[in-house]
Amino acid sequence: MQRIAEVEEKAVAAISAAASTDELKLLDQQYLGKKGELTGLMRLIGTLPPEDKPQFGGAVNKAKARLQGVLDARVESLKGGERAAQYEKERIDVTLPGLTPQAGREHVLQLAINRIHAVLGTMGFEYAEGPELEDFKYNFDWLNYPEDHPAMDEQDTFYITDDTLLRTQGTAVQGRVFEIEKPPLRHYSIGRTFRNETVDRTHAHTFFQVDCFMVDEGVSMAHLKGTLDTLASAMFGDEAKVRFRPDFFPFVEPGVDYAISTPKLFGGKWVELGGAGMIHPNILRRAGIDTEKYSGFAFGLGVERIPMMAWGIDDLRNFLENDQRFLEQFG
Amino acid sequence: MIRDFVETDLSAEEIGDLLTMTGFELEEITEEEGEPVLDVNIMANRGDGASVFGMARELLAKHPAAKPTELYKKSLNRHPASDVSAPDAASKTSVTLETPNCTRYACRIFEDVENGESPEWLQKRLRQIGQRPISLLVDLTNYVMMEQGQPLHAFDMDKLSEGRIVVKQAKDGDPFTTLDDAEHKLTADNMMICDGSGPVAVAGVMGGLETEVSATTKNCLLESAHFVNTSVRKTRKQLNLFTEASYRFERHVDPEGVVAALNRFAELYAECTGKSHVPGVVDVYPIKPTSARVTVRMDRANRILGMDVPLQDATAYLTRLGYEVTSEGSTITAQIPSWRIDVVQEEDLIEEIGRVHGFDKIPSRLPEGQTDIGGMVNQEKFTNHLHEEALRCGLDQMLSHSMRGKHPLDTDKPAIELRTPHSPEIAFLRTSLLPCLADAAVKNGGKNLHLYEYGHVFDAEKESINIALLVTGVNQSEHWGHKASSTADFYTAKGLVERLAESGNVSISVSPDSADTRLHPTRQASVLTSAGPAGVIGEIHPDIADQLGFTEPVIVAELDLEQLYSVSADHREPRSISRNPSIRRDIAFVIDKSTPYSDVQAVIEKAGGPVLEKNWLFDTYDGRGIEPGQHSLAVALQLRKVGENFTDEEANQVRDSIVSELEAIGAKLR
């Protein structure tokens, strides 16, 4: 029994004197390991008379438990300091540049287009695309243009032949939809349109246009306004307001130009976004739609206007020139 | 001038705003010689708006608090003059109409004129609207046109052969010199004002040089006529002459205002000179406008407008705009004024009522009724999905012009050409997206770029939607700590194409059977689907790369999205996954380089069978110890069974059977 106390005392002294957790690991083995000194005392148990055996075994185990406690406490106290030293060694300069991930950047017009999809798609408008190289029929005839309308002039429109041209308006998709679908209809398209313009900061020969329309029973200009209000709020914030002003387009009657205004942008001024109105009865009749039963609205929207207005881009030419110094500011 | 017609306290800005809300949009207000001048846009179908009188009518309709002046009332009454039917003028000239494109021709005659400078007030007003004062007669024609909307033309009567007027179509090839000293060759489409011997003016467009009034003019014949708008437009386009007169005639001028303008001119002439004119108007008016009546049902009007306009208000609006109106129940019947050829059906009147009532009063309501799920479907949805995948793959999106110039990366199919391109840079429609991406790469320095674009391409057969990508260099900006692991090569592009196809649930194969002259002869491949070829992958041909200024290899790929979509599956078939551990065996063997790896892989997969879960090439070597023309390939085999573990012996057996099959195609285990 005295032997137990001696070993324990020696071990406690060694543990107290240890300067690192590495030393403590050795001491752990030396006293408490399978072949450790304290564990080794258990082997003496065989030499004892049977009545002393339980008492001796209990004493060894108690000593082991006490020693383990002392050891653990010492490990804990040493670890703190060692970790602190280790952490200091591992210190980094967090102000060094980060590694930019390699995700691709979306084009600024695509970002605007995505927002339009989100709004019109959730309002139940189905997306339909048409060709850029369009039939004269869909670009003009279907849209109630009189035979010699100035918009058809060679100086305004890019012709390939008399019958094919680069579409001058997204509205050209309407006739294609009307040929195959019947009301109720809600459709929109987004795509390139082309006009023969000399290019400068504020003029382009190619621009992206949204065309959106619906035909159903009882559709009114109030529904047109409600749809545009929703779109404007989504694009320019909840405070955005829409204003109608009479205007003329062959494919709508009544026809309006709509402008938006928000206190935050454009100094509270009204800024025109596009043309709109009730689909012209001549078009509905051509589509075989009963104008006594059905009516419809349509509106157009220049996609470029959205980033130009929302983010203050002031040169139209930037959009299709693919200069990454421009594009990387948005995507 | 508008205050000559409207008595109001409104400021110029307020007048501009009101006109804007009638549809005549205020462009700007400038100050000219101390007075505000409004620049207002005229809608293409509203010729009646191209006059101060017409603007005044809109303003008074929109803002009844303003009062019409005596001049407005007189204009509304079409400037009656007591001498109109006097025979004197008719004794001095005659008018013959030989074309239906002139529906009315009237003239007055002024004798012993002194065509000097106009009085200062008249000159000032013309200057304020940007017109150059010329002489009294010319200035008055311009002034009356601006005021009343009716173009007038003053002829030097002594220069008119036989002193008479004939209106007829020109003969093809007739020469004519307009008063701007330009010579024209006429066609039968051109309506001409002629005298006893030949043309003296292009009807509705411009007078002739020879009969123009000058400082020495003694006698003047003043023309006021109505020409059919489509005829004037055609001639204006053919002769490329754009004048204030043609602008108005193209948009339609009120045929009932023809004599009124002559009378107003005579009145102002007397005011300016104290002189009188030859009494009488010669007025030939064979084709009178048909006066249509249009009915509007107010319940329908309100349903379309989405707001309630009371019947009596609607009646008042139409009356103020010049319609003669009767109503019965909730139906209004309106006689269309002669200056409004744009109003032909109910919807046109609904617009009239709505715009005077105020479109700003329309409430905002969301659409009602049933609808399908909105947004993109079918091919558009597929395209958008691949677009998003390309972004996730680290490619930057480009958007380029559909119209462009020729480029060495155009396909060999002939490009569609614009009929009248205004510059060679936009003369053709793109046949491929590769020229666009190459341009974008050059623009952005030509190095370390990973770009893509989707969009329409064109050839004689069809318009397609393609997706294309271009990779060169590393896809990482230079970093102090992380060095870029590799630069782009063919396999980078191939991997991207495979990933895009996989994300769209399209099964593709990449075949060496490709001979695209735009690409490196031995570094290109075609992309195949079960429906046929869908695109190419390859390094830009070194000659073309040199020409474009690229100094490092540039690899491109282009895919036809319609083709890919046609073979895309809704989803991929999932397989159940084994919960037992896998075991790996690596093999390395030497084989002829001429054996395509796809053959090697096919042998491995066939021999491995279903327990070969995965295999991948992890190393190649052709240096020391390997015969020329051969290389060493190291392939990892990942084996797994469902429901039981692989033993080492079983794994070795699978490996050995793969090796023996590889030996059958000439491989030698290292």
Side-chain angles (χ1 to χ4, degrees):
Chain A
M1 296 293 265
Q2 203 187 338
R3 185 96 176 91
I4 299 172
E6 276 171 24
V7 173
E8 186 179 350
E9 201 176 308
K10 198 173 77 176
V12 169
I15 289 167
S16 310
S20 73
T21 53
D22 285 346
E23 272 179 57
L24 289 173
K25 266 181 208 153
L26 293 174
L27 290 171
D28 190 357
Q29 275 174 16
Q30 190 181 338
Y31 292 98
L32 298 168
K34 270 186 186 169
K35 292 173 182 169
E37 280 182 45
L38 205 50
T39 319
L41 292 178
M42 270 299 193
R43 267 177 253 121
L44 297 176
I45 206 163
T47 64
L48 293 177
E51 63 272 22
D52 289 347
K53 278 182 185 170
Q55 200 192 351
F56 183 81
V60 170
N61 281 336
K62 276 183 190 154
K64 277 179 82 176
R66 278 197 302 274
L67 199 56
Q68 189 68 56
V70 171
L71 187 76
D72 288 350
R74 184 68 184 150
V75 167
E76 275 313 303
S77 86
L78 279 180
K79 218 156 109 186
E82 283 180 16
R83 279 285 161 86
Q86 179 195 343
Y87 295 155
E88 195 47 50
K89 259 171 72 186
E90 288 170 4
R91 181 177 292 281
I92 58 165
D93 178 359
V94 296
T95 67
L96 281 170
L99 178 66
T100 310
Q102 301 165 34
R105 285 180 203 278
E106 210 155 5
H107 193 281
V108 59
L109 288 178
Q110 183 76 46
L111 295 173
I113 287 168
N114 294 347
R115 290 163 75 172
I116 296 161
H117 275 301
V119 181
L120 295 180
T122 48
M123 293 180 82
F125 290 91
E126 192 179 302
Y127 186 62
E129 253 179 35
E132 291 174 11
L133 189 57
E134 187 54 283
D135 293 353
F136 186 92
K137 173 173 80 158
Y138 293 112
N139 197 76
F140 290 124
D141 290 345
W142 252 103
L143 301 181
N144 194 41
Y145 275 78
E147 241 172 58
D148 62 342
H149 193 276
M152 299 172 183
D153 287 1
E154 194 96 32
Q155 60 255 40
D156 290 325
T157 299
F158 292 113
Y159 282 90
I160 309 300
T161 67
D162 283 348
D163 300 327
T164 51
L165 46 83
L166 289 171
R167 65 178 170 202
T168 61
Q169 50 209 357
T171 320
V173 176
Q174 278 182 24
R176 291 179 171 273
V177 171
F178 282 138
E179 277 185 346
I180 50 173
E181 291 192 36
K182 292 287 161 237
L185 289 175
R186 294 188 196 194
H187 274 285
Y188 72 108
S189 66
I190 307 174
R192 295 164 188 239
T193 56
F194 307 86
R195 307 229 175 121
N196 197 347
E197 295 249 20
T198 305
V199 175
D200 62 25
R201 287 171 73 87
T202 56
H203 295 88
H205 55 62
T206 302
F207 43 98
F208 284 73
Q209 217 176 50
V210 180
D211 184 80
C212 179
F213 64 101
M214 88 172 274
V215 181
D216 204 343
E217 290 178 44
V219 173
S220 76
M221 292 186 79
H223 298 126
L224 170 62
K225 204 172 214 174
T227 304
L228 288 170
D229 272 336
T230 307
L231 187 63
S233 304
M235 297 292 159
F236 302 104
D238 285 340
E239 290 164 307
K241 286 191 179 62
V242 172
R243 184 187 81 174
F244 285 168
R245 172 180 78 72
D247 203 349
F248 170 69
F249 304 96
F251 37 93
V252 280
E253 190 73 34
V256 297
D257 221 309
Y258 65 96
I260 67 152
S261 158
T262 105
K264 290 199 198 98
L265 296 167
F266 352 113
K269 277 196 197 128
W270 290 105
V271 179
E272 276 176 28
L273 268 196
M278 301 302 288
I279 298 175
H280 201 286
N282 293 355
I283 297 176
L284 294 179
R285 280 194 285 269
R286 180 173 176 148
I289 294 170
D290 178 1
T291 57
E292 288 298 314
K293 186 171 178 196
Y294 292 105
S295 52
F297 70 67
F299 67 86
L301 168 65
V303 175
E304 287 84 348
R305 304 225 69 169
I306 294 165
M308 289 182 95
M309 290 163 67
W311 304 323
I313 297 165
D314 59 359
D315 191 335
L316 265 176
R317 289 170 298 192
N318 286 333
F319 286 117
L320 293 179
E321 286 184 345
N322 292 325
D323 191 323
Q324 288 192 311
R325 293 170 303 163
F326 171 72
L327 295 176
E328 68 191 10
Q329 301 173 68
F330 309 100
Chain B
M1 281 173 66
I2 195 147
R3 291 188 201 277
D4 297 346
F5 288 85
V6 181
E7 199 185 316
T8 175
D9 296 332
L10 293 173
S11 67
E13 287 77 14
E14 286 166 326
I15 291 173
D17 286 347
L18 281 166
L19 288 175
T20 295
M21 294 317 287
T22 67
F24 293 95
E25 187 194 10
L26 177 72
E27 194 75 8
E28 57 170 351
I29 299 179
T30 54
E31 177 148 326
E32 306 292 341
E33 305 192 29
E35 288 178 298
V37 174
L38 281 69
D39 181 1
V40 175
N41 278 332
I42 313 291
M43 285 171 283
N45 63 339
R46 290 296 302 277
D48 65 296
S51 67
V52 181
F53 172 50
M55 287 284 136
R57 176 162 42 228
E58 294 289 321
L59 182 60
L60 288 165
K62 188 78 185 164
H63 188 67
K67 291 275 166 291
T69 62
E70 282 308 310
L71 178 60
Y72 182 85
K73 289 177 195 161
K74 256 169 92 178
S75 298
L76 204 58
N77 257 337
R78 306 195 195 281
H79 289 279
S82 53
D83 72 313
V84 164
S85 48
D88 310 43
S91 70
K92 293 177 187 287
T93 186
S94 71
V95 170
T96 315
L97 304 188
E98 295 179 2
T99 169
N101 289 325
C102 177
T103 64
R104 186 177 193 182
Y105 196 103
C107 59
R108 273 190 180 278
I109 291 165
F110 297 80
E111 289 181 339
D112 297 323
V113 298
E114 284 167 43
N115 191 22
E117 279 194 4
S118 304
E120 174 53 24
W121 71 264
L122 178 53
Q123 293 198 30
K124 177 181 168 190
R125 284 195 162 182
L126 290 173
R127 283 196 306 268
Q128 283 174 316
I129 57 168
Q131 296 253 320
R132 189 168 54 91
I134 294 168
S135 65
L136 178 65
L137 291 173
V138 175
D139 292 353
L140 278 178
T141 60
N142 286 332
Y143 187 77
V144 172
M145 172 176 66
M146 292 297 168
E147 196 189 77
Q148 303 290 325
Q150 170 68 49
L152 300 172
H153 185 67
F155 290 103
D156 187 327
M157 194 161 174
D158 300 320
K159 291 181 181 162
L160 291 175
S161 161
E162 301 168 24
R164 66 190 183 97
I165 295 290
V166 181
V167 186
K168 58 184 179 188
Q169 299 298 125
K171 285 198 196 70
D172 280 328
D174 281 355
F176 185 70
T177 305
T178 41
L179 56 75
D180 57 354
D181 213 359
E183 278 184 45
H184 301 277
K185 257 222 158 59
L186 304 174
T187 74
D189 287 331
N190 307 138
M191 175 177 22
M192 304 300 292
I193 312 299
C194 305
D195 61 9
S197 60
V200 293
V202 185
V205 181
M206 195 183 266
L209 188 63
E210 285 173 20
T211 54
E212 165 182 40
V213 288
S214 65
T216 60
T217 297
K218 283 277 160 268
N219 300 302
C220 165
L221 183 144
L222 182 70
E223 163 198 295
S224 181
H226 185 262
F227 304 115
V228 172
N229 57 346
T230 50
S231 162
V232 173
R233 183 175 304 144
K234 203 167 208 172
T235 297
R236 186 268 294 168
K237 272 163 66 178
Q238 277 180 11
L239 303 185
N240 201 19
L241 282 174
F242 187 81
T243 62
E244 291 282 353
S246 71
Y247 178 87
R248 284 167 178 74
F249 280 120
E250 270 186 66
R251 282 165 175 72
H252 182 74
V253 177
D254 180 10
E256 293 288 305
V258 162
V259 172
L262 289 178
N263 294 349
R264 174 63 175 152
F265 182 104
E267 181 182 52
L268 287 169
Y269 176 78
E271 261 178 52
C272 293
T273 63
K275 288 175 151 180
S276 64
H277 48 271
V278 175
V281 170
V282 179
D283 181 13
V284 183
Y285 195 5
I287 306 169
K288 294 214 165 52
T290 48
S291 177
R293 300 169 80 82
V294 176
T295 294
V296 56
R297 294 159 288 173
M298 281 312 294
D299 54 338
R300 180 150 193 273
N302 291 339
R303 208 161 62 233
I304 296 280
L305 291 170
M307 61 179 171
D308 286 326
V309 183
L311 179 76
Q312 62 272 27
D313 289 358
T315 312
Y317 300 151
L318 293 176
T319 305
R320 294 209 290 269
L321 286 171
Y323 296 85
E324 283 173 38
V325 170
T326 55
S327 68
E328 198 186 326
S330 67
T331 296
I332 301 173
T333 300
Q335 180 93 43
I336 310 303
S338 54
W339 60 86
R340 291 297 300 275
I341 57 164
D342 59 305
V343 178
V344 295
Q345 56 184 318
E346 188 175 24
E347 282 75 6
D348 301 324
L349 286 180
I350 294 174
E351 176 175 85
E352 294 288 271
I353 293 164
R355 73 188 177 91
V356 178
H357 191 69
F359 285 152
D360 50 329
K361 295 197 181 80
I362 295 174
S364 180
R365 285 166 60 194
L366 284 175
E368 294 144 29
Q370 65 173 56
T371 167
D372 291 331
I373 292 173
M376 287 178 275
V377 292
N378 303 335
Q379 193 181 327
E380 284 87 12
K381 196 174 179 181
F382 176 82
T383 299
N384 192 57
H385 186 78
L386 263 63
H387 148 70
E388 288 177 348
E389 189 63 24
L391 292 172
R392 283 191 285 270
C393 287
L395 300 172
D396 292 330
Q397 185 186 10
M398 301 286 114
L399 283 174
S400 321
H401 285 287
S402 304
M403 293 182 288
R404 50 166 304 122
K406 292 266 191 196
H407 192 279
L409 290 176
D410 289 329
T411 64
D412 53 7
K413 291 192 176 161
I416 292 174
E417 190 172 5
L418 300 188
R419 186 161 72 185
T420 47
H422 63 181
S423 84
E425 290 86 48
I426 60 161
F428 299 95
L429 300 185
R430 59 186 179 183
T431 58
S432 159
L433 299 174
L434 298 184
C436 301
L437 287 179
D439 283 354
V442 169
K443 181 163 201 105
N444 290 294
K447 286 195 171 76
N448 301 329
L449 295 162
H450 288 62
L451 312 175
Y452 97 97
E453 175 163 358
Y454 75 94
H456 295 229
V457 297
F458 310 80
D459 63 42
E461 281 157 36
K462 63 173 187 151
E463 179 172 342
S464 322
I465 300 179
N466 283 6
I467 188 166
L469 56 91
L470 176 151
V471 290
T472 181
V474 299
N475 192 12
Q476 181 188 309
S477 48
E478 200 173 340
H479 192 262
W480 58 273
H482 296 254
K483 303 303 168 199
S485 56
S486 70
T487 64
D489 61 12
F490 177 88
Y491 302 103
T492 311
K494 179 179 173 181
L496 287 164
V497 165
E498 286 170 336
R499 178 64 207 126
L500 289 177
E502 187 183 20
S503 81
N505 302 324
V506 177
S507 167
I508 58 164
S509 62
V510 173
S511 158
D513 188 10
S514 173
D516 192 317
T517 54
R518 301 173 294 171
L519 302 176
H520 191 299
T522 56
R523 292 182 175 185
Q524 61 170 296
S526 57
V527 177
L528 305 177
T529 69
S530 58
V536 289
I537 310 171
E539 192 173 313
I540 292 180
H541 195 289
D543 292 345
I544 296 176
D546 280 351
Q547 194 184 334
L548 299 176
F550 291 118
T551 53
E552 287 174 30
V554 178
I555 304 90
V556 294
E558 184 163 25
L559 302 169
D560 179 336
L561 285 168
E562 198 180 335
Q563 181 80 291
L564 293 185
Y565 175 66
S566 73
V567 293
S568 70
D570 287 345
H571 59 87
R572 272 168 273 161
E573 283 305 320
R575 55 187 165 73
S576 48
I577 54 166
S578 165
R579 290 173 188 277
N580 297 85
S582 68
I583 193 162
R584 174 171 168 169
R585 289 289 181 273
D586 291 349
I587 52 176
F589 51 91
V590 174
I591 194 165
D592 284 351
K593 279 183 174 172
S594 60
T595 307
Y597 185 71
S598 55
D599 289 2
V600 172
Q601 196 174 9
V603 166
I604 290 172
E605 283 169 5
K606 182 151 181 278
V611 295
L612 177 61
E613 184 179 60
K614 238 166 118 179
N615 69 91
W616 63 99
L617 178 69
F618 67 91
D619 198 17
T620 68
Y621 174 71
D622 63 358
R624 250 164 66 104
I626 306 290
E627 299 276 315
Q630 295 198 313
H631 56 175
S632 164
L633 304 177
V635 177
L637 309 169
Q638 183 172 304
L639 307 167
R640 200 196 302 262
K641 284 197 284 198
V642 180
E644 57 180 316
N645 292 358
F646 249 108
T647 65
D648 279 344
E649 294 73 43
E650 286 169 333
N652 292 344
Q653 274 170 21
V654 175
R655 179 195 61 198
D656 293 345
S657 65
I658 289 173
V659 167
S660 72
E661 291 298 323
L662 285 172
E663 282 168 350
I665 61 164
K668 281 195 284 294
L669 201 63
R670 289 187 81 198

